[in-house]
Amino acid sequence: MPSTEPRGPRQIGRAMIWSFKGLRAAWIHEASFRLEAYLFVIFFPAGLWLGQGAIEKSLLCGSLFLVLSAELLNSAIEAVVDKVSPEFHELAGRAKDMGSAAVFMLMINVMLCWGLVLWQRFA
């Protein structure tokens, strides 16, 4: 359903409030999100420190944001699937597994980015 509200600072403020509510819900209800957030707090400053130049810093730090974003989307998929289909269904399980796989792929991306940058730095 399209929004009929005019766009502007008020709508941007509301969207920001909804985003913070989503982050809070993820923090409260998702152990995986909390673990990834703890790792983010450790590795983000390390990425800023280890990266030489804007591109390396962007790769090191940006890859961490992607994992958190994918975890939020995965949690949203799981919540909707559990609401729509509380009993086990093959397609529901497949959707949850694919969301988890997306997070996993981005974790591999983090390891690849960090590994290549650090390899270049210390090899």
Side-chain angles (χ1 to χ4, degrees):
M1 169 168 67
S3 175
T4 57
E5 269 189 52
R7 300 289 180 200
R10 179 181 236 162
Q11 185 65 19
I12 292 170
R14 286 184 183 154
M16 199 164 67
I17 289 169
W18 297 326
S19 296
F20 285 125
K21 285 174 74 172
L23 287 169
R24 184 173 186 269
W27 181 263
I28 291 170
H29 300 288
E30 299 295 331
S32 295
F33 181 80
R34 286 191 300 274
L35 174 61
E36 291 157 1
Y38 291 136
L39 292 172
F40 179 90
V41 167
I42 294 166
F43 282 100
F44 188 86
L48 292 176
W49 181 62
L50 290 169
Q52 291 182 348
I55 293 175
E56 283 187 6
K57 290 177 185 199
S58 296
L59 281 171
L60 295 176
C61 297
S63 63
L64 301 172
F65 273 108
L66 292 175
V67 171
L68 288 177
S69 298
E71 186 62 50
L72 289 167
L73 291 170
N74 182 43
S75 297
I77 290 168
E78 289 181 354
V80 169
V81 166
D82 289 345
K83 170 70 175 165
V84 171
S85 178
E87 69 282 343
F88 177 78
H89 190 279
E90 181 183 346
L91 292 176
R94 191 182 310 164
K96 288 178 160 188
D97 291 345
M98 288 178 175
S100 180
V103 174
F104 178 70
M105 295 298 291
L106 287 169
M107 287 180 177
I108 291 172
N109 180 60
V110 167
M111 290 187 290
L112 183 64
C113 290
W114 280 75
L116 289 172
V117 169
L118 294 177
W119 177 276
Q120 180 182 4
R121 179 93 55 255
F122 299 112

